[in-house]
Amino acid sequence: MLFTYDTEVALSSAAALINTAREDVDPLDTLEGLDQFLEEQRFSGSRTHTTAELQSVRALRAELEVIWFAEEDDAVGSVNAILRRANALPQLVRHDEWDWHLHATAPEAPLEERMATEAAMALADVIRGHELDRLHSCAAEDCDGVVLDLSRNRSKRFCDTGNCANRTHVRAYRARKASSA
């Protein structure tokens, strides 16, 4: 295992959040879309179910995207800013089906703050491990999704937003077949 399971879950959720902006129809255009995203990502804690909450999550999405592609020193500054904003105080917690893991905000904290802090804590692990190269863009020519590469050999090239790998491989196969004919 490269990172602890809660770090991997938080990184995967951050990637999924960033990639919502790359979908044909942005699921975070509506409160219902946010509800569905949070359910899929299994976020717990309090919610206000307001437009302001939705807008703060959309702003977080943009902030995380900048960090995803930042150089190490810039990423550190941004991660630290998120943790300062939230007055993060890491604590071990266990809830639902999750074993012991870190939370740095109370369950009653605003949704965006909890999401930001979880992502920042995970990104701090990535930075401390000098693993920022595991965060990159999809290799498909027609996709700008982000990729979280948790593979041992750092070989993941395609995002999880669609079938980019399959589409790229089929395109290459057809090109090879056409050139040999």
Side-chain angles (χ1 to χ4, degrees), residues 6-152:
D6 56 326
T7 295
E8 290 184 4
V9 168
L11 290 169
S12 294
S13 290
L17 178 61
I18 295 166
N19 282 331
T20 59
R22 289 152 167 77
E23 295 183 29
D24 291 336
V25 176
D26 185 348
L28 299 186
D29 275 346
T30 65
L31 288 169
E32 294 78 21
L34 177 60
D35 292 342
Q36 183 176 347
F37 175 80
L38 295 171
E39 184 177 322
E40 289 169 2
Q41 297 302 314
R42 299 168 54 197
F43 269 95
S44 59
S46 67
R47 294 276 314 281
T48 61
H49 299 278
T50 63
T51 303
E53 182 178 70
L54 175 63
Q55 293 308 316
S56 65
V57 171
R58 289 173 58 95
L60 171 63
R61 174 175 67 185
E63 185 176 20
L64 291 177
E65 181 177 9
V66 170
I67 297 170
W68 202 268
F69 297 109
E71 296 296 324
E72 185 175 80
D73 288 346
D74 295 330
V76 167
S78 297
V79 166
N80 284 340
I82 290 172
L83 295 172
R84 273 192 305 276
R85 258 192 343 248
N87 295 313
L89 181 62
Q91 303 171 54
L92 284 167
V93 296
R94 183 169 45 192
H95 60 85
D96 302 321
E97 74 279 359
W98 302 102
D99 200 1
W100 292 113
H101 60 283
L102 286 174
H103 277 208
T105 57
E108 303 80 32
L111 174 65
E112 178 275 333
E113 188 175 293
R114 291 192 324 271
M115 292 176 73
T117 304
E118 277 192 32
M121 294 289 291
L123 288 163
D125 282 348
V126 171
I127 293 167
R128 289 183 317 134
H130 301 287
E131 299 284 354
L132 278 171
D133 59 334
R134 291 185 177 275
L135 314 177
H136 53 89
S137 293
C138 184
E141 291 177 8
D142 58 347
C143 180
D144 62 355
V146 299
V147 176
L148 169 61
D149 184 357
L150 295 175
S151 66
R152 282 182 172 223

